[in-house]
Amino acid sequence: EPGGGDWLSVQFVELRGNRCFDLLAPGPKEKMPELRLRESNDGGFFADGATVLCPKGSKELCRIVREAHARRATVATEANSVSSRSHALCTLRLLKSQGQLTLADCAGTERRKDSMYHSKERQQEAAEINASLHALKECLRHLALRKDVPPQNLRASALTKLLSSAFVREDAVKLAVICTVSPCAGDTEHTLATLRTGMALSGRGVEKEVRELISTRRGNEPVPPAKWDSSQVRDWLAEVGNGQFQDVCESLPQEFNGKMLVRVTESRFTQMCGGDARRGQQLFALLHERMRAK
């Protein structure tokens, strides 16, 4: 444990929209004081009047952080039974080395369909959360492009205001992003959205996104007719019906592929079979049977 006087100070505030509340202030949770954000001489912002505590050791520090975190605003939603309705900023200042660590616990973004059954108040909260996260991503996007962050972006939300010193003095700041995701298959869409947001916040989301086509087809599952190339179409015609349709291959254009094949009507198959309606109907039926095969 550190000794010889105060070694670290803690400040913990909560941001609900553009309102700031002191999580370390004494008194009940329902009466937490609201703080005003003021601009400092270096262009950053600070929460005026925020409580600052100086723990004597690591155990006391952990207790302070746990108690402050428990006072945050939460509510049950469709996606989470204890969904955070605010951002929280915990600032740890090392008094001897003048170092500083800011932990920003951001509320998760909410899609429109996840909040469609919310009350008007919950919908307003969701809109404010999404707007503040968008403002934060815009600031980080400018940093990733090695550009100065425009003042209007820094002032776009209470979240970006209190983090503005990191954008003004970017050469002296290091950023790390931790994403919390769910292992449940039903939350895959949420997980992907969280990871994309994490990439954007880490400054690596400005590159062109390369989408890979992930095949869910089993290893031995045959390719559907619509995906056949011209050689696969000819191979199928040569084999189907014990080879009785090999002559049809001769009437096909050189680049006739599966996408063209599946659009052929029964009457057109009859023409391709030399006007033999029975053979045309049979070939049409065999193709559609193959298209329905799993």
Side-chain angles (χ1 to χ4, degrees):
E1 299 289 350
D6 294 335
W7 62 286
L8 177 142
S9 68
V10 186
Q11 180 180 298
F12 212 141
V13 298
E14 177 183 49
L15 302 176
R16 304 179 197 168
N18 284 320
R19 303 175 68 190
C20 181
F21 295 88
D22 190 351
L23 290 171
L24 295 181
K29 173 181 177 180
E30 296 76 16
K31 295 184 178 181
M32 288 189 301
E34 184 173 352
L35 307 174
R36 295 189 64 179
L37 302 186
R38 299 189 183 277
E39 189 170 2
S40 57
N41 294 330
D42 63 358
F45 288 80
F46 65 97
D48 188 22
T51 301
V52 177
L53 301 180
C54 295
K56 300 304 181 184
S58 58
K59 291 183 178 179
E60 186 178 357
L61 171 61
C62 291
R63 177 185 60 79
I64 291 172
V65 171
R66 282 195 297 267
E67 290 178 356
H69 188 270
R71 303 180 77 188
R72 289 183 64 186
T74 60
V75 71
T77 66
E78 291 292 325
N80 191 346
S81 59
V82 286
S83 176
S84 297
R85 310 311 297 171
S86 65
H87 306 303
L89 294 181
C90 177
T91 303
L92 307 176
R93 293 185 177 90
L94 301 174
L95 302 179
K96 294 183 178 180
S97 65
Q98 300 300 308
Q100 177 174 309
L101 172 65
T102 299
L103 304 173
D105 184 7
C106 296
T109 56
E110 291 199 9
R111 300 169 301 174
R112 184 180 297 274
K113 66 180 181 180
D114 292 325
S115 58
M116 62 185 298
Y117 298 113
H118 288 182
S119 65
K120 186 176 181 179
E121 181 183 2
R122 294 286 90 81
Q123 289 178 345
Q124 179 64 27
E125 287 175 350
E128 291 174 347
I129 290 170
N130 291 346
S132 60
L133 288 176
H134 175 73
L136 179 59
K137 286 189 284 186
E138 281 298 295
C139 291
L140 290 166
R141 183 176 64 84
H142 281 86
L143 280 185
L145 295 173
R146 304 298 179 185
K147 296 180 180 180
D148 292 336
V149 180
Q152 64 269 22
N153 290 98
L154 293 176
R155 299 170 180 268
S157 71
L159 179 62
T160 51
K161 284 180 179 179
L162 288 181
L163 294 176
S164 59
S165 59
F167 305 128
V168 175
R169 300 166 44 232
E170 65 269 18
D171 293 338
V173 174
K174 291 186 178 180
L175 171 71
V177 178
I178 301 174
C179 297
T180 303
V181 297
S182 170
C184 300
D187 292 327
T188 299
E189 194 172 348
H190 288 283
T191 295
L192 292 174
T194 298
L195 293 176
R196 291 191 185 104
T197 299
M199 286 291 290
L201 292 178
S202 66
R204 295 195 295 268
V206 296
E207 299 93 345
K208 181 180 178 182
E209 183 178 354
V210 178
R211 298 181 181 273
E212 294 183 6
L213 178 62
I214 303 176
S215 176
T216 58
R217 194 181 302 128
R218 300 183 182 90
N220 297 325
E221 186 176 346
V223 179
K227 301 292 185 181
W228 289 346
D229 57 26
S230 58
S231 62
Q232 290 172 307
V233 170
R234 294 175 186 279
D235 289 344
W236 179 77
L237 286 171
E239 296 174 2
V240 70
N242 296 322
Q244 61 175 304
F245 298 102
Q246 293 187 35
D247 58 308
V248 176
C249 295
E250 300 175 2
S251 63
L252 297 179
Q254 188 66 30
E255 299 301 324
F256 192 88
N257 57 28
K259 191 174 182 180
M260 300 175 182
L261 179 67
V262 297
R263 294 178 179 176
V264 176
T265 63
E266 183 177 320
S267 59
R268 176 58 182 149
F269 271 130
T270 297
Q271 294 177 357
M272 294 166 65
C273 292
D276 189 329
R278 184 188 60 80
R279 292 183 68 215
Q281 291 173 359
Q282 184 181 4
L283 182 56
F284 181 82
L286 289 170
L287 173 62
H288 282 262
E289 181 182 347
R290 175 64 183 80
M291 290 167 61
R292 290 189 296 269
K294 300 295 184 181

